[in-house]
Amino acid sequence: MLAAAPQYQQPHSVPRRLCNVPKAQASGAGGPEAEAGNALLSKLGALAAGAAIFFGGYTTGIASSSMVADVRTAESHRQEITAPAPASLPVKPVSLALPDQAAKETVQAAQQAGLAADELSTIRVFQANTPSVVNVTNIRAMQSYYSMDVERIPAGTGSGFVWDRQGHVVTNFHVIKGASEVKVTLLDQSTYSAKVVGFDPDKDVAVLQLDMPEEARAALQPVSLGSSTGLMVGQRVYAIGNPFGLDHTLTQGIISGLGRELSTGLYPIKNVIQTDAAINPGNSGGVLLDSKGNLIGINTAIADPTGKGSSSGVGFAIPIDTVKGLVGQILQYGRVMRPSLGVVIAPPQALQRIGEKGVLVLDVTPGSPAERAGLRPTSRNAAGDLILGDIITSVDGAPVASARDLLEQLDAKRVGDKVVVDVLRGGRQRLSFSLLLADRVLGSGTE
């Protein structure tokens, strides 16, 4: 288990902290590129790639802090409307469609009790959105040590929310990772089995399909989608989730920062929202709402330098504008389509040794955009001398100094986009290639 460092590793980058109840474990593994690189570079006399660190399985209990290295692991899979102005002071009650008569009576009772306007506003937001928030239970099949029988054990719980009336629920990937079965409990305590429709581990998003009768689906209350564009530091936000198994808990705070970055692999989550609203283990997958009750983010992580698994006042939410695109692709294709050049990249040590910046092409996938464009892989000549492949130095004019830079450039593109790739060949010749990005096959080890 890696202990999270209390300090930041880079600007706007934080020690990542899983917010579901189970414990996250860190393990070492080499990524597909590292394996390919080791195999070929060992023959070419180059350095081997280093091991990557990733989140492994987890058990019940509070998670301890872990850091995720920015290197893809062998088991990593590759699968993103104008924001309201910040609430003015004093806060005026907002008009929200309340879910049922009981909720209306609650607000009426609050009004009769003479509560302040901002208190009434908070109550309205909670009452209107509580039916949309669900409890997600990760169940794993485990073999008994004594009887050898296979038992189904709840491995942990997290939060999620209703996306539409077709029975789709959105949550964090780490909440359902490794589950043999997923159970979802609604506000009325009815529980349904859920099938995993698709997920994106790098962006920590998963979509579930509830197995429920048609009439029950019609009664679902989807969350009201907002936008993470135009948010401002200081505006009020609310978090609803199931921290420590305490269902439908409301906390409030403000947006403490914008444009943060979380790293779950080689593809970082950009424009993450930072909030001081209390987020604890079990809040993962829950909603972050603006003062009008619109969804602006998915609560996913906390900075926890103590390792005690409790809120430090620094929580992070995936912006809803990113989530919309990811969920849309998952519902349409069953996965997230990642654009690819079709190259296997060498470990960074290969270029460090010769003092060049960029990304060395180790191999080129047959039939890929890179092969059709004419990019050259690393090889040996007839005399056995090592011939370095093309070194990618920029994509569409944006400098590429590392694998992370390359992946960030690709992550901003879509399958079918035309890009211009600049390379250094033979240490002297600079060339440009125009190619159409293809769909990246999961687990292929290519970029």
Side-chain angles (χ1 to χ4, degrees):
M1 177 67 68
L2 281 182
Q7 72 276 4
Y8 292 103
Q9 300 301 312
Q10 54 183 295
H12 304 313
S13 178
V14 299
R16 188 171 185 277
R17 161 92 199 143
L18 295 183
C19 300
N20 59 312
V21 170
K23 179 185 295 183
Q25 298 177 347
S27 304
E33 296 86 350
E35 294 173 2
N38 290 342
L40 184 53
L41 286 180
S42 61
K43 298 178 183 179
L44 302 179
L47 296 174
I53 301 169
F54 64 98
F55 286 106
Y58 52 86
T59 57
T60 53
I62 299 173
S64 61
S65 296
S66 299
M67 289 284 293
V68 179
D70 293 333
V71 182
R72 181 186 304 114
T73 65
E75 70 173 14
S76 293
H77 299 285
R78 306 299 168 205
Q79 312 281 351
E80 271 198 351
I81 283 181
T82 300
S88 58
L89 296 177
V91 178
K92 297 180 179 180
V94 295
S95 176
L96 295 170
L98 297 176
D100 50 34
Q101 184 61 32
K104 293 180 181 179
E105 292 174 356
T106 300
V107 174
Q108 290 173 355
Q111 292 173 330
Q112 293 173 0
L115 298 182
D118 60 338
E119 292 176 303
L120 288 174
S121 177
T122 300
I123 292 171
R124 290 173 183 270
V125 169
F126 178 74
Q127 294 289 352
N129 288 278
T130 298
S132 303
V133 180
V134 302
N135 185 295
V136 181
T137 303
N138 181 323
I139 299 176
R140 293 186 178 181
M142 303 181 68
Q143 191 173 47
S144 171
Y145 178 80
Y146 298 100
S147 66
M148 304 304 289
D149 293 336
V150 176
E151 300 176 351
R152 287 146 40 95
I153 307 296
T157 63
S159 306
F161 56 90
V162 178
W163 184 261
D164 56 31
R165 285 195 169 88
Q166 283 68 55
H168 293 118
V169 168
V170 176
T171 185
N172 284 141
F173 169 71
H174 73 257
V175 172
I176 55 95
K177 181 179 179 181
S180 57
E181 184 179 0
V182 178
K183 293 286 188 180
V184 174
T185 303
L186 306 181
L187 178 63
D188 62 4
Q189 299 305 306
S190 58
T191 301
Y192 300 95
S193 295
K195 179 184 71 173
V196 178
V197 178
F199 50 82
D200 184 352
D202 291 312
K203 305 299 183 183
D204 203 13
V205 173
V207 179
L208 311 176
Q209 172 70 65
L210 297 181
D211 183 10
M212 62 193 317
E214 195 66 36
E215 57 272 17
R217 292 184 186 179
L220 292 174
Q221 181 174 319
V223 70
S224 176
L225 296 180
S227 173
S228 51
T229 301
L231 296 176
M232 300 182 69
V233 173
Q235 75 178 77
R236 182 174 297 184
V237 291
Y238 302 93
I240 303 177
N242 307 294
F244 306 111
L246 302 172
D247 66 293
H248 298 89
T249 296
L250 171 71
T251 58
Q252 71 172 351
I254 62 170
I255 293 178
S256 306
L258 296 167
R260 306 307 192 201
E261 181 177 304
L262 288 178
S263 296
T264 58
L266 276 178
Y267 290 95
I269 307 175
K270 297 282 193 177
N271 299 315
V272 171
I273 303 167
Q274 179 185 335
T275 178
D276 68 351
I279 297 175
N280 289 287
N283 270 115
S284 281
V287 297
L288 186 69
L289 309 168
D290 63 17
S291 58
K292 293 184 178 180
N294 296 321
L295 179 65
I296 59 173
I298 303 179
N299 300 319
T300 189
I302 58 176
D304 181 23
T306 66
K308 295 181 179 179
S310 58
S311 174
S312 61
V314 182
F316 301 95
I318 305 171
I320 190 59
D321 289 351
T322 297
V323 175
K324 289 175 185 176
L326 298 174
V327 172
Q329 289 191 56
I330 291 173
L331 293 179
Q332 183 173 359
Y333 306 110
R335 62 186 180 88
V336 172
M337 299 179 67
R338 294 254 186 246
S340 171
L341 298 174
V343 298
V344 177
I345 58 179
Q349 296 93 328
L351 287 185
Q352 291 172 1
R353 192 168 185 176
I354 62 176
E356 290 287 352
K357 290 185 177 180
V359 174
L360 174 63
V361 177
L362 191 64
D363 198 7
V364 175
T365 304
S368 67
E371 184 190 53
R372 291 193 293 269
L375 268 68
R376 291 183 183 176
T378 300
S379 61
R380 285 189 182 274
N381 61 18
D385 298 323
L386 178 66
I387 307 298
L388 291 181
D390 289 336
I391 299 175
I392 299 175
T393 57
S394 71
V395 175
D396 279 348
V400 172
S402 64
R404 184 186 182 92
D405 292 339
L406 175 61
L407 294 174
E408 287 186 6
Q409 291 300 319
L410 293 178
D411 197 31
K413 308 294 183 181
R414 294 184 179 275
V415 175
D417 284 354
K418 185 177 181 180
V419 297
V420 175
V421 178
D422 296 324
V423 304
L424 176 64
R425 177 173 293 177
R428 295 182 301 273
Q429 189 178 13
R430 296 192 178 275
L431 304 171
S432 295
F433 297 91
S434 178
L435 49 83
L436 295 178
L437 296 175
D439 182 19
R440 183 178 180 279
V441 179
L442 299 182
S444 64
T446 60
E447 302 306 338

